[in-house]
Structure formats: C-alpha cells, structure tokens
Amino acid sequence: MTNPLLSDWDTPFKLAPFDKISDTDFAPAFEEALIAHKAEVDAIADSAESPSFANTIEAMEVAGESLNKVLSVFFSVAGADSNPAREDLQRAFSPKLAAHSAEISANKALFGRIKAVWEARDSLDLSEEQQRVLMLTHRGFVRGGAALEGADDDRMKEIKGRLAVLGTEFTQNLLADERSWFMPLEEGDLEGLPDFAIDAARAAGEEKEAGGPVVTLSRSIIVPFLQFSPRRDLREQAFAAWVARGANGGETDNRAIAGEILALRQERAQLLGYDSFADYKLETEMAKTPEAVRGLLMDVWAPAKAQAEADAAVLTEMMHADGVNGDLAPWDWRYYAEKRRKAEHDLDEATLKPYLQLDRMIAASFDCATKLFGLKFRELDVPLYHDDCRAWEVTRDGAHVAVFIGDYFARGGKRSGAWCSAMRGQAKFPEVQGPVVINVCNFAKADPALLSYDDARTLFHEFGHALHQMLSNVTYESVSGTSVARDFVELPSQLYEHWLEVPEVLAEFATHADTGEAMPAAMLKKVLGAANFDQGFATVEYVASALVDLAFHEGDAPSDPMAKQAELLTELGMPAAITMRHATPHFAHVFAGDGYSSGYYSYMWSEVMDADAFEAFEEAGSAFDPETAKALETHILSTGGSVDAAALYKRFRGRLPGVDALLKGRGLAA
C-alpha cells in the first residue's frame, strides 16, 4: 500500500491528504525520504560534469522534495496538534535530521562544486536573484562547517546532533508543563471576571475533564484572569505557575538544558572562528554586530524603564487605596493596570471584547489585504489536520495565489504562542507553485469567539507574515516568502498590525456579538486613544528578555544561566513588579532552536522599520494609498530574501530609519 505522505497528492491545490495520513505513516515515510534525499545529494556531489549553476545550485534547490513533503506535514501537526506518538516521533526524528543536515554540510565533494561555482560567479551571467541564491548557498555551507576538517568536522556533527535533541526536549518539556497544570475554580472564585473569561474557564475545565471551571497556562485564559480577578491569592498562585514553566524540577525542568545549549553554541561558533555565538549569528542579520543590537535596546530601555516606574507608582497608590499594603507585585500589575485603563480611558476589556469577534477580525484582515493588494478569499471545504482549522483559496484578478489555513483556538496538544509557517513555499523553479500558508494562534474557544485587543493585534501580526509568504514572487523557493534576515522578517507582520488601528477598519468590522451594532464612535476614539496604554510595562518586559538573550550569547557561555539572568536584571535595575516576558526556562524563541537565539531583539529592530514604513502611508494621505501599497509589495513583500534586506528597505523608503519613530509610536518619546 502506498504511503500517502510519499504519493502524488491528487487533491485540491495539492494539499496534504490529511484524512488519509495516520501517525504510523510518518516514520517509514521519513526514513524513505531521507534515503532518497541523500541519494539526490550524492548524485550532485559525484557528478562527472563540470560544476555549473544549473547542475549544482539549481539541482540542490529541487533535491529533497519528498523529504520536504513529509516534514511539512509532520512539523505542522507536531507543533499545533501534538500527542504522545508525535512527541516520540519528534524525539526520534530530530537527531536523525540533524545528522542528515550535518552530513550534507560536511560533504567535501559537494562543497567543492559549490565553491567552484562561487569562484566562477563573475563569468556566469547570473540574474540578481541567482547571484543571491549562489551567495547564500556558499555562505550557508561555510557557516555550517563545510570547510572544517578532521576532529573539528566530527565535533561539529556531534554538536549539531546534540543541539537538535536538546531543542526538542526543551519544547516538549515546556508543552508538558503547560498542558499538565491547571487551577480549579469554585463558583465564588469567578466573581469579578467578565463573561468571556468565565466562558473560557468553563470550556477549559471541560477539556481538562476537571468537573468545573479552571485557569490554565494558555495566555488567552491566564492573562484575563490576572487582569480581572480581585482574588490576589489566586492571582499569585496562577502567576507563580506561569513563570515557573520549565523550572519545576524533575523530568521537565529546562534549566540544565538551557545551560548545555549555550555551551554547545559557543563551541560551535569558536570552531568556525568566531569569538562568540552572537558574533556568528548576527553576521548575516541587518544588525551585523552585538554592539549594534545593544545600542538599539539600550536606547529604548531608559525611556521605557522611566515610564514603567512612573506607572508603578500610580498602580501602587491604587493598590494601597484598596487596603492592600506593601509593594506592587508582578501578579498585581495587570489587575491594577486594567482598573486604571477603565478609569482614565473609560474603557475596560470586558466592554470592548464583544466588539472584537474572531470571525469579524479575520474578515477585517482579509478586507485590508483586498484593499491594499487586490486579494480575494474563498473558504474551502477540504480535509485538514484538526477540525478547528479553516482554509481559504487566495486569488487576485481570478488567478490562484495561495491557500491560507487558519488554526486559531487553544487546545492541550498545541504549543503556546502564535506563529506562521508555510507547508509549501512560493516558487517558479522547477515549476510554478503557489504557497500553502498556516497561521496558528491560541485564542480561547467560545461561540462566538471573542478576542482581546492584544489577540486582535496578534491575528493581524500573523497575517502580515502570511502576506509575506502569499505575495512572494521569486524564482527559487529557498529565498521566497519569509526566508529573509531574522531582524527583517518581523517587518511585514508588525507593519500589518497598524491596519487594526485604522479608524475605518474598526468602524466597519468591530461589531457587537449580540446586537451586530458597530462600535460606538466614542468607544472607537477611546480604543485608539488607549493604544499606547501601559507601554512602559510592555516595553520593559520585552527589552529585558532581548538583553538577556544577547548577554547569554555575547561572551563565554554562562555556567549558570539563571544566575546570569538574575545578574543582568539587577544591573539593569529591572522594576520589581515586572518580569521578563520570557524567562530562560520557557524562552522557546531562544532555546527550542537557533531561530531567535541572539535574535530576540529582532522584533524591536523591525519595529523601528515598521513605524517608519507606516508613516509612508500617512505621508501619502491614506492607509490604503495604492501607490504606497504597490511599492510595499514590489520592494518588500514580493521579493523574499532575493535581495539584501537593507537594500530592499532603502528601495521602499529611500533611506534606513532611526529609533525616533518607534519611541513616538510607543508613546515613549521625550
């Protein structure tokens, strides 16, 4: 019987046949695809033909199609719909995949051919994109250790394999802690919570079979509880569990794993001739150096900390007025900030949330894409990996552009956070293929599902990533979509968040779940007026995480990461009532893989650009100015990584931006 993962997918838009795939299909398909890819790579490396762009670089582009199909399906379900069988498979696959990748990177014959094409590049009459693909391929092999010999070569393979295992363990430990903890609530404990939070707690209790409402560690449940519950003892209990993820002792504790990861990264960088892992990692980013990253973060830290300390004084007074003596604690901040927002802006989330229905916010994100880029969305009835998922065909002028999949609701088998991935990237070589893009979120499930304002911003953020994938228009998949510098990849996503705050968008799509009426003009004005509310808190918790990430990788790996974290926060004067957004034991951005290691700063680096980029629309007089939208698509969204990121931004805006627009946008400017 043919394995459905390896067969030709005779399905609409060649989507994975999820209704025919079982967990038992993954291991044999993975092994077979791994062997096939190795044979393809060996054939390229051992070719008797003289190395050329076509028989070496383009041949590498098309190698591994079967493996890509298997992994695109597997990692989609492993992250968004995990179960014990899939977790076992991931633990088994990770070291094999790392060894396979290391073997390719260390293939001397293959690297010799790539190097020969690289050295002959000036005589090859390559297009700009081909030159870029060649440079990235050659650079990737060098940075992967292809030039290493002997013991260094062997050690690099060992390090890569061990890092893959540790990253998987870190992720699964975090998921286990998030999945296992919940706090039962008595009916009296629901006092003070708005209806949407009560509904979410009851739904979570049903999923956990707890016999009543519960608080879980899903952000969409625990944050509203911390915002609204007047029970300080329960807030403290919930907050303690939230910040202890990955640091509870026993088999799921991530602290030793983090330390080993940092040590191996440092060794890896030094094998390649770099002083530190940060030097190695940042070489290919827009920032280039740790000094540039630190400069940006510290430019923002001082005004953010000053604002946070001023806010803390106000919240402390409010707490004392409630008869609670002592210092403001981290489990108090959100509760009193929400009360302050209601008092100062006459706006509370319980009143606002019915106007932010999930379906209406999806429609809003689609409508903005229609007005800006001419995209149309038609819902599809196709098998997907979970009943919660929805799919749409994306077209423009009647022509197929992409398939977009949305997986919006929190559940036990889904890792926390929100992300965008492509099961298939856009390409024109060796044949034209449209992308298949997934947005994964963790919103509380209800009927209707209601979002907080932060949730709605997250939805627009991830859809900005999706647009980067869907509007890609390059030849080679390796540089399509979001295959760009890490500190550039967040530009399209953070830029798209701005359209949520366009008054005409909220006026049309923020309609009440019960009455269907549009958000009143007075409330809309308050929402937009409160857009920068509590930015001192938000900026401090983020920048602290980014600075700790940088410090971990900038010099010698710390023998005790938790002590290093505490030392740095003390040096910074971290406000006592604010914690890092992601403390080390649950800092999945940094420790689940190399993606954001030394790179968590990239959200802020991109924000410098997104604040400046949206000003281009404001200068044009409309958030939907067609010429500016066309320039954005031409120079940013369609080009993927086919051109250097700084060059792309200069083509769009004529210059690189400074930090002023960011500080202004966050309300932190002096």
Side-chain angles (χ1 to χ4, degrees):
M1 185 175 182
T2 303
N3 191 310
L5 286 160
L6 298 175
S7 64
D8 290 332
W9 292 347
D10 185 20
T11 55
F13 311 107
K14 294 187 176 181
L15 295 175
F18 287 106
D19 56 335
K20 295 182 172 63
I21 296 170
S22 68
D23 287 346
T24 58
D25 293 322
F26 285 118
F30 176 74
E31 296 294 345
E32 186 174 335
L34 211 61
I35 292 169
H37 189 215
K38 184 181 185 304
E40 291 166 347
V41 171
D42 287 344
I44 298 167
D46 299 337
S47 173
E49 298 178 357
S50 297
S52 69
F53 186 85
N55 67 25
T56 303
I57 307 303
E58 286 188 331
M60 288 292 293
E61 285 282 322
V62 299
E65 179 185 358
S66 295
L67 185 60
N68 290 338
K69 286 173 64 176
V70 174
L71 295 180
S72 71
V73 176
F74 177 73
F75 284 115
S76 293
V77 300
D81 193 30
S82 191
N83 59 35
R86 291 168 186 173
E87 290 173 11
D88 288 343
L89 287 168
Q90 193 168 5
R91 283 191 290 270
F93 288 177
S94 292
K96 292 181 180 180
L97 198 57
H100 176 67
S101 176
E103 184 179 353
I104 293 173
S105 297
N107 187 315
K108 305 306 179 187
L110 178 61
F111 179 58
R113 294 180 66 83
I114 292 169
K115 186 177 179 182
V117 179
W118 170 249
E119 290 175 345
R121 62 191 181 278
D122 292 339
S123 63
L124 298 181
D125 193 28
L126 301 177
S127 69
E128 182 182 34
E129 183 178 336
Q130 288 174 325
Q131 293 176 43
R132 178 76 173 169
V133 170
L134 173 58
M135 184 279 291
L136 292 172
T137 303
H138 178 261
R139 186 177 74 181
F141 269 76
V142 172
R143 287 169 56 81
L148 297 177
E149 301 285 350
D152 288 349
D153 190 15
D154 293 338
R155 180 56 182 156
M156 180 62 79
K157 293 176 185 176
E158 292 173 0
I159 289 172
K160 288 182 177 180
R162 182 60 179 157
L163 283 171
V165 171
L166 292 172
T168 297
E169 288 181 0
F170 189 98
T171 303
Q172 293 188 351
N173 288 346
L174 181 55
L175 178 59
D177 278 4
E178 291 173 344
R179 187 167 48 200
S180 63
W181 187 91
F182 61 88
M183 182 175 71
L185 299 175
E186 302 293 336
E187 288 300 313
D189 299 335
L190 301 174
E191 182 182 351
L193 299 182
D195 289 344
F196 74 83
I198 294 172
D199 292 344
R202 293 194 191 284
E206 290 179 11
E207 186 193 7
K208 299 292 186 185
E209 299 180 348
V214 301
V215 174
T216 71
L217 297 180
S218 168
R219 180 174 286 271
S220 62
I221 292 177
I222 193 169
V223 169
F225 185 79
L226 293 171
Q227 283 178 305
F228 293 105
S229 175
R231 287 285 302 276
R232 192 177 192 230
D233 58 331
L234 296 182
R235 295 200 312 266
E236 181 177 3
Q237 185 179 339
F239 187 85
W242 198 28
V243 298
R245 291 169 293 157
N248 287 303
E251 293 182 355
T252 63
D253 198 294
N254 276 333
R255 286 171 287 191
I257 291 175
E260 187 178 354
I261 287 173
L262 293 173
L264 289 171
R265 284 176 178 164
Q266 181 187 12
E267 185 181 357
R268 176 182 176 185
Q270 290 176 340
L271 281 172
L272 294 169
Y274 296 88
D275 291 337
S276 70
F277 185 81
D279 289 311
Y280 161 76
K281 187 67 185 296
L282 294 171
E283 178 186 48
T284 61
E285 308 300 332
M286 290 183 72
K288 300 301 180 189
T289 67
E291 292 75 22
V293 173
R294 184 174 300 282
L296 168 68
L297 294 174
M298 294 309 296
D299 281 348
V300 177
W301 175 258
K305 180 187 172 188
Q307 182 63 59
E309 289 174 337
D311 291 340
V314 175
L315 301 183
T316 300
E317 286 184 13
M318 294 173 65
M319 185 177 76
H320 291 170
D322 274 355
V324 181
N325 296 319
D327 296 329
L328 186 74
W331 49 90
D332 297 318
W333 190 293
R334 288 175 175 83
Y335 178 71
Y336 285 100
E338 182 61 30
K339 292 183 74 170
R340 182 186 181 190
R341 178 166 69 161
K342 186 174 182 179
E344 293 185 2
H345 297 278
D346 192 21
L347 183 69
D348 73 286
E349 197 164 293
T351 304
L352 173 62
K353 208 162 184 178
Y355 289 97
L356 300 175
Q357 300 175 67
L358 172 60
D359 283 350
R360 295 295 291 158
M361 291 299 102
I362 293 171
S365 68
F366 287 177
D367 186 69
C368 290
T370 300
K371 290 174 179 174
L372 288 164
F373 309 114
L375 300 179
K376 300 285 183 67
F377 299 82
R378 176 180 67 89
E379 192 150 10
L380 299 172
D381 183 11
V382 292
L384 299 168
Y385 61 81
H386 193 279
D387 290 343
D388 284 345
C389 296
R390 301 165 66 183
W392 293 264
E393 182 190 11
V394 186
T395 60
R396 180 155 58 181
D397 298 328
H400 177 77
V401 172
V403 171
F404 173 68
I405 297 170
D407 180 3
Y408 296 108
F409 297 124
R411 53 179 174 268
K414 182 187 287 188
R415 64 178 170 89
S416 60
W419 64 93
C420 174
S421 60
M423 293 190 66
R424 182 173 68 231
Q426 176 272 328
K428 300 176 186 175
F429 177 87
E431 60 184 14
V432 174
Q433 65 181 35
V436 177
V437 187
I438 306 178
N439 274 179
V440 182
C441 299
N442 270 281
F443 304 141
K445 191 173 184 178
D447 186 20
L450 305 178
L451 307 183
S452 68
Y453 199 72
D454 281 345
D455 288 339
R457 185 181 287 114
T458 295
L459 187 145
F460 268 71
H461 178 102
E462 297 306 333
F463 194 69
H465 281 309
L467 287 172
H468 201 181
Q469 297 276 16
M470 293 189 288
L471 291 173
S472 178
N473 185 26
V474 299
T475 300
Y476 300 102
E477 188 173 357
S478 66
V479 292
S480 73
T482 56
S483 299
V484 299
R486 181 65 62 177
D487 50 11
F488 190 70
V489 76
E490 298 297 336
L491 168 60
S493 55
Q494 293 178 185
L495 175 59
Y496 205 64
E497 293 177 30
H498 288 271
W499 274 273
L500 176 62
E501 297 179 354
V502 172
E504 62 195 84
V505 174
L506 285 173
E508 180 176 358
F509 291 97
T511 54
H512 198 279
D514 296 327
T515 66
E517 294 179 358
M519 182 183 290
M523 180 181 286
L524 176 59
K525 184 176 180 181
K526 292 170 188 173
V527 168
L528 298 177
N532 284 324
F533 180 76
D534 215 22
Q535 275 299 312
F537 170 88
T539 307
V540 162
E541 66 163 7
Y542 165 78
V543 174
S545 297
L547 284 167
V548 167
D549 166 40
L550 183 65
F552 278 164
H553 297 97
E554 197 173 10
D556 291 339
S559 57
D560 183 347
M562 298 303 293
K564 179 69 173 179
Q565 173 184 297
E567 176 189 334
L568 180 63
L569 295 180
T570 299
E571 289 176 2
L572 290 170
M574 182 78 169
I578 305 178
T579 60
M580 292 167 60
R581 181 172 299 176
H582 304 290
T584 298
H586 53 262
F587 207 163
H589 280 80
V590 170
F591 293 106
D594 277 356
Y596 282 91
S597 54
S598 293
Y600 192 61
Y601 77 93
S602 60
Y603 290 94
M604 186 148 283
W605 190 276
S606 293
E607 189 176 343
V608 170
M609 291 183 286
D610 85 62
D612 179 71
F614 194 70
E615 282 189 353
F617 285 89
E618 294 175 330
E619 290 164 7
S622 169
F624 296 100
D625 178 67
E627 291 186 9
T628 310
K630 181 64 177 175
L632 178 65
E633 179 179 351
T634 299
H635 299 305
I636 306 290
L637 298 176
S638 70
T639 50
S642 63
V643 179
D644 175 75
L648 288 176
Y649 195 84
K650 288 177 184 177
R651 290 179 187 180
F652 171 61
R653 201 71 170 103
R655 52 162 173 74
L656 290 176
V659 74
D660 294 345
L662 178 147
L663 293 175
K664 176 184 174 184
R666 287 192 171 225
L668 300 174

